[in-house]
Amino acid sequence: MTRPPTAAQRRVIDAADPETGRLRGTETQLAALVKRGLAFRHPRPPRDHFLTPAGHRIREVPEPEPAMVTETPTSTGSGVFAARIGGEPAADTGPARVREVHSAWQGLLELRRMTNPDGSTDRPCGWERTHLVQAAALALEAAGHRPADADAPSAGYRVRATPQPEAVAVREPDPGALRACAATLEKAGWQVGEHTEPRTGVRYVLASPRRV
């Protein structure tokens, strides 16, 4: 499981700008947050550091008392937020999960705004291109689509990597739900197209992050 941030790292995260996630700290502190995926360095001068979606998520969770520090696994057992890619064991889908997903999606939109050269939020950013499956799954889960459960594989979406560069495959047994997934990804800035598996005849969506 992923270790929680240190007390010093937590103070830097909590002190981030509430709107932009801009960070202040020593180079060592900021580099440590970048290494853990909680921050990124803006590619343009003055090259400030900002929280990633995972960093925003950390900030929204109240810091526990030292004697009560425990790790709470998510559906993936990672201890940090992860969008559901489909096929995981059935998990809670109540209000807390809805808020968690909404927060992660808003953090990702902010990351797009800060890292896309034109500040655009309508197309994927560099982080999404290096985390294709998670990025596509987050767009689907944030839009309310249902992921497949391990115990109920006949319904719900599944997002999987493909041999094709910068492309994921989305499968959903229900044709209408598959088209709805495609529409959601297209709205989220992905290029999509429906394809048929030659051997099985099963329809699926191939999605790639749009660049322009």
Side-chain angles (χ1 to χ4, degrees):
M1 296 184 199
T2 301
R3 293 179 294 105
T6 65
Q9 291 172 340
R10 180 64 192 242
R11 286 193 293 272
V12 174
I13 292 172
D14 287 343
D17 185 281
E19 296 296 327
T20 66
R22 185 178 183 182
L23 293 162
R24 296 293 184 188
T26 67
E27 285 298 321
T28 299
Q29 289 173 326
L30 297 174
L33 291 176
V34 170
K35 185 176 181 180
R36 298 187 61 173
L38 301 176
F40 69 95
R41 189 176 187 182
H42 199 286
R44 291 179 295 174
R47 305 188 188 283
D48 287 328
H49 289 73
F50 298 85
L51 291 174
T52 62
H56 281 283
R57 171 86 183 114
I58 289 289
R59 185 169 60 172
E60 293 189 359
V61 177
E63 185 174 11
E65 294 297 324
M68 296 295 291
V69 174
T70 58
E71 291 180 301
T72 304
T74 62
S75 60
T76 63
S78 65
V80 296
F81 174 82
R84 294 189 176 124
I85 66 173
E88 304 95 337
D92 177 41
T93 56
R97 177 63 184 182
V98 173
R99 290 193 298 270
E100 188 177 52
V101 172
H102 175 76
S103 174
W105 178 247
Q106 292 303 311
L108 183 56
L109 292 179
E110 179 63 15
L111 187 59
R112 288 182 176 187
R113 187 182 73 81
M114 296 306 302
T115 59
N116 281 333
D118 59 355
S120 173
T121 61
D122 64 359
R123 69 176 186 277
C125 61
W127 181 89
E128 291 168 272
R129 297 180 192 284
T130 58
H131 300 77
L132 294 170
V133 172
Q134 277 290 314
L138 177 55
L140 293 174
E141 191 176 359
H145 294 281
R146 174 188 172 187
D149 289 339
D151 298 329
S154 61
Y157 69 77
R158 291 173 183 265
V159 184
R160 297 294 185 268
T162 72
Q164 183 173 328
E166 287 205 352
V168 296
V170 180
R171 293 174 172 82
E172 160 62 75
D174 180 84
L178 180 64
R179 287 191 293 271
C181 287
T184 290
L185 289 173
E186 188 171 23
K187 184 177 179 181
W190 294 65
Q191 293 178 325
V192 300
E194 278 198 46
H195 300 266
T196 302
E197 293 180 349
R199 288 179 296 176
T200 64
V202 173
R203 298 287 289 174
Y204 68 97
V205 165
L206 195 65
S208 301
R210 182 167 57 83
R211 289 190 176 276
V212 294

